[in-house]
Structures are given as C-alpha cells and as structure tokens.
Amino acid sequence: MTTLHEYLESAGCETDLCTLIELIAEQAQPIREAFITHQAYAESENVYGERQAAMDTWSDELITRVLGESGLVRALSSEEQDEVRTFPGAKAEYAVVMDPMDGSSLIQTNLAVGTIVGIFGGGDVLQPGRDLKAALYMLYGPMTTLTLTVGKGVCIFAMDHGGVYRLLERDVRIPDGNLYGTGGGRPDWIDQHAAFITAVEADGAKLRYTGSYVADFHQILKYGGIYCYPALKGKPKGKLRLLYEAIPVGFIAAQAGGAITDGHIDLLDLKPAEPHQRTPIYVGSMNMISLVKETFERSR
Ligand code: AFP
C-alpha cells in the first residue's frame, strides 16, 4: 500500500512541504502515547478563557518545539497560544496554523479527538483559506488516520503498527447525505439556524454529534451531511475559530467536493483579521450547504 512518503513524492509537492507534512504527521505517535498519562486538566486557561486540558498544552508544546526546530516554519499560530510565534532563522517560509488537540474535553470519555493543521506559503498566518498549500488532520480514534490535501484532492491514510502511514482511500468525495450535527443549545440559536435545523429535520435528516469537531466532520466526509456550529444569540460569532478550525477543515471539504460557509459567505474567501477570530461554521456536503444558503437567504 502506498505510504504517505510515496504519495507526497508522486503528488509533486515541494520537498520542504513534504518534509513538513511528514514531520507533523509523525507527532501522532507521541501524542497517542501521552493520552494515558495526561488525562487531567491543566491549571491554565487559553486566550478564550477556556480551561486547558493537559493534552491541549502538551500537544501544543510538542508540535511547536518540533516545528520551531525544523527550520521549515517562519510563523506558527496555535489555538492554544495567545501570540503568533515566529522563527526568523527558518530556511523555508511556511506558516502553520493549528488546533493541536481539538475536542480535548472528550479525552476522559475516550471519544475520538484530533489535531488540525493548515500550511500556508509566504510566512504569514493571516491568509484566506483558499491560499493554503496543504491542510490535514490526524484523528485519534480506533485507528490513527491522517486526512490530507495538498490541493490535489483528499486522501486518507491510516498509521500501521510500525508508525508508517499507508493510503486507505484516495480522491475522497463527500457524498450528498442526511447526517447533521449542531453545536449550541436550541434556545440560544439564532432564528436562521433554527429554521435550517427545522428544514433538515423535516427532510428526515439524522442527528450525529459527539462534540469533537474533527471527529464529527470526518463522519460527514465519509457519509455525507453537515456539521454546524452556529451564531448564537449574544454570541454572533459562535464558538469555533476561523483560522484553526474553519479554514483547514473547510479546505479539505472543498477539495472533496463539499463547502464551508458561515451562512452568508464561503469561509475560504475570508482573510482573517486576527488569529483568534471566531466564526459560525456550516461545513459538509453540497446538498446541505445549498439548503443553508437558501434558508439564510429566505429568513434575512
Ligand atoms: P474542546 O476542545 O474544548 O473540547 O472544544 C471542542 C470544540 O471546539 C469542537 O471540537 C466541538 O465541535 C465544539 O467545541 C463543541 O462545543 P459544544 O460543547 O458547545 O457542543
């Protein structure tokens, strides 16, 4: 079976980008091993005032150190760090954006969680998603999988017992589908979101939501449907982050034939104004994204 290394070579990626992707993907092994010893919460809060799990800080420090030492990354922005980190001595000019441990509040329940990464060229982290050179996420479930795009479609790899990623599926396409997952509490949803959920439920859609964005999205990628975290009354930007969660996963969705929107615009067209910007998110199959747009348009 094709290895990650062989795939990257055949995809014609720049050598430094191949090395960087492989380096990030390798971190899944130490991260998996650390889950058992890092169950607790840390004493710290992140910039959003959220209590950090021990794995949030541990995985953030691991990936930041490895990428800093690689000489390949000029700038790195992490959901878990207040400031953008810069590495002026780097020989390559990649800028990395990441959520090192998405869904960390679920670690103690042993549900699947993941690491989300976007890679830009040019050393600047504040770029529209459409300009990504690569996006990936590692999902720590029954298997460790790597879902990757280098702008030439989406591939899914699984890590074998020797730590080698082997291709499970290439040219992944999001089918039209009827699964949906939504964050936020019903009383807090804005009216357009409530109207959308009423519409999908009337169409017979089925609810599947764990509270781990990366895992919930992966299910949508495989089976079709939509993941939503809407604008809430009193929280018009919702909960999730444009740079760390929307942009990399949205780029993967688009490469698989799906899309991402906040209900009004394609989030891949939006240039982040600042690293920790939040945004409502609707990401998934085209049938569902069309319904989001129609519903938002109607209830304007
Ligand atoms: P944690 O990393 O704090 O678990 O947050 C996860 C997350 O950002 C995203 O992965 C989930 O989809 C969303 O929050 C879940 O939020 P709700 O608990 O409000 O549904």
Side-chain angles (χ1 to χ4, degrees):
M1 271 153 95
T2 308
T3 64
L4 173 61
H5 185 76
E6 288 164 350
Y7 170 76
L8 289 169
E9 277 186 346
S10 69
C13 279
E14 299 154 22
T15 311
D16 283 345
L17 183 60
C18 296
T19 309
L20 180 56
I21 291 169
E22 288 192 81
L23 195 56
I24 294 167
E26 279 167 19
Q27 304 319 308
Q29 250 191 336
I31 287 174
R32 273 217 94 117
E33 285 163 18
F35 281 127
I36 200 147
T37 47
H38 293 74
Q39 293 275 309
Y41 275 86
E43 292 303 306
S44 49
E45 286 186 347
N46 63 17
V47 65
Y48 312 94
E50 296 165 347
R51 216 166 137 223
Q52 287 174 304
M55 277 307 286
D56 282 324
T57 48
W58 193 88
S59 52
D60 183 53
E61 284 164 18
L62 171 75
I63 300 173
T64 303
R65 178 174 49 74
V66 168
L67 296 191
E69 288 170 1
S70 72
L72 297 170
V73 174
R74 188 59 61 91
L76 179 146
S77 188
S78 164
E79 184 180 308
E80 299 304 332
Q81 298 180 42
D82 297 5
E83 306 289 335
V84 176
R85 296 284 293 268
T86 52
F87 305 99
K91 70 177 170 78
E93 283 209 331
Y94 295 109
V96 170
V97 296
M98 68 170 181
D99 179 353
M101 189 51 58
D102 180 61
S104 56
S105 62
L106 295 173
I107 291 170
Q108 294 185 1
T109 70
N110 203 25
L111 282 167
V113 296
T115 298
I116 306 172
V117 179
I119 304 173
F120 292 106
D124 184 3
V125 295
L126 294 181
Q127 301 188 47
R130 217 164 280 296
D131 293 343
L132 278 168
K133 292 236 175 212
L136 61 93
Y137 57 80
M138 280 102 81
L139 185 59
Y140 314 114
M143 298 180 283
T144 298
T145 55
L146 170 72
T147 302
L148 169 72
T149 181
V150 292
K152 295 176 180 172
V154 175
C155 287
I156 302 174
F157 299 84
M159 190 188 271
D160 70 14
H161 290 304
V164 177
Y165 283 99
R166 298 191 182 273
L167 191 61
L168 267 188
E169 205 177 330
R170 68 165 77 232
D171 299 327
V172 178
R173 307 299 292 168
I174 304 189
D176 280 350
N178 74 343
L179 296 180
Y180 77 99
T182 175
R186 191 174 281 266
D188 299 325
W189 292 344
I190 58 165
D191 292 346
Q192 288 106 321
H193 185 66
F196 171 67
I197 296 299
T198 301
V200 294
E201 286 173 344
D203 271 0
K206 193 167 149 194
L207 175 64
R208 291 266 184 95
Y209 186 77
T210 69
S212 167
Y213 169 58
V214 67
D216 288 331
F217 171 75
H218 197 67
Q219 178 166 224
I220 299 299
L221 179 68
K222 294 290 298 175
Y223 298 151
I226 192 158
Y227 171 94
C228 332
Y229 208 108
L232 303 174
K233 292 172 190 156
K235 258 191 166 184
K237 296 284 178 193
K239 176 182 180 189
L240 301 198
R241 290 29 71 145
L242 176 62
L243 201 50
Y244 315 118
E245 286 157 321
I247 280 180
V249 170
F251 190 65
I252 289 170
Q255 284 287 320
I260 187 165
T261 175
D262 63 359
H264 305 282
I265 58 159
D266 186 324
L267 287 175
L268 296 182
D269 293 330
L270 193 61
K271 184 175 185 299
E274 51 102 5
H276 294 286
Q277 188 173 336
R278 294 180 197 258
T279 180
I281 290 181
Y282 295 82
V283 61
S285 311
M286 286 316 289
N287 66 316
M288 287 288 194
I289 295 292
S290 303
L291 187 57
V292 173
K293 288 184 186 158
E294 281 165 31
T295 314
F296 272 66
E297 199 57 43
R298 257 203 315 275
S299 40
R300 218 176 245 267

